[in-house]
């Protein structure tokens, strides 16, 4: 590029297409990394927030009218850790019904298959 430029030309990376493409690729990669970190943080925080939401719905008597979402299997574990068996039984029954009826994210066959690996055998047996 400089060889073809007139004598005395000063190199300017702002006009170099290769440099600009590399900078754009680096910026895109950094944005992707930031998005992945934000998503990981959101997922890490989700079970606690969703656990509070499901506990409140259970207390209001509306849990059975709520459709499950992706990740609720992990929320079940959080609720069990926090509240013990009396909440777990209700959540297990809710998840089993939703799984059997293909409600919420269980409409997707891949979600049902994933649930088979994440939920306990008693929940899966109740879903059949």
């Amino acid at each position: 590029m400089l060889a073809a430029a007139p004598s005395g030309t000063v190199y300017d990376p702002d006009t170099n297409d290769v440099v600009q493409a590399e900078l754009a690729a680096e910026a895109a990669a950094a944005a992707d990394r930031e998005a992945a970190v934000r998503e990981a943080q959101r997922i890490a925080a989700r079970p606690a927030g969703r656990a509070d939401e499901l506990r409140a719905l259970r207390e209001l008597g509306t849990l059975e009218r709520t459709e499950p979402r992706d990740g609720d299997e992990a929320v079940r574990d959080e609720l069990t850790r926090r509240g013990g068996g009396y909440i777990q039984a209700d959540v297990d029954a809710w998840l089993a019904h939703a799984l059997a009826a293909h409600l919420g994210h269980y409409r997707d066959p891949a979600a049902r298959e994933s649930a088979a690996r994440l939920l306990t055998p008693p929940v899966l047996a109740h879903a059949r």
Side-chain angles (χ1 to χ4, degrees):
M1 185 167 132
L2 287 176
S7 178
T9 301
V10 177
Y11 173 73
D12 183 3
D14 290 340
T15 62
N16 186 321
D17 292 338
V18 173
V19 170
Q20 293 306 306
E22 288 174 359
L23 291 173
E26 288 174 9
D32 288 346
R33 285 190 302 273
E34 288 177 29
V37 167
R38 282 193 305 275
E39 179 67 8
Q41 290 170 337
R42 185 189 68 77
I43 289 170
R46 186 172 184 271
R50 180 69 168 159
D52 292 339
E53 180 183 350
L54 293 179
R55 175 180 263 171
L57 290 168
R58 179 189 167 273
E59 290 170 3
L60 292 170
T62 58
L63 178 62
E64 62 279 352
R65 292 187 303 240
T66 304
E67 290 197 353
R69 299 180 193 159
D70 185 35
D72 279 349
E73 296 83 7
V75 172
R76 174 198 177 272
D77 295 340
E78 174 68 14
L79 282 168
T80 300
R81 184 185 65 73
R82 285 188 192 180
Y86 74 99
I87 291 177
Q88 180 182 357
D90 291 345
V91 172
D92 284 355
W94 169 68
L95 284 171
H97 170 73
L99 184 59
H102 300 181
L103 300 176
H105 77 292
Y106 293 135
R107 286 182 186 94
D108 180 7
R112 292 192 301 274
E113 185 177 315
S114 177
R117 292 187 306 272
L118 298 170
L119 295 173
T120 63
V123 174
L124 296 173
H126 187 68
R128 291 187 173 101

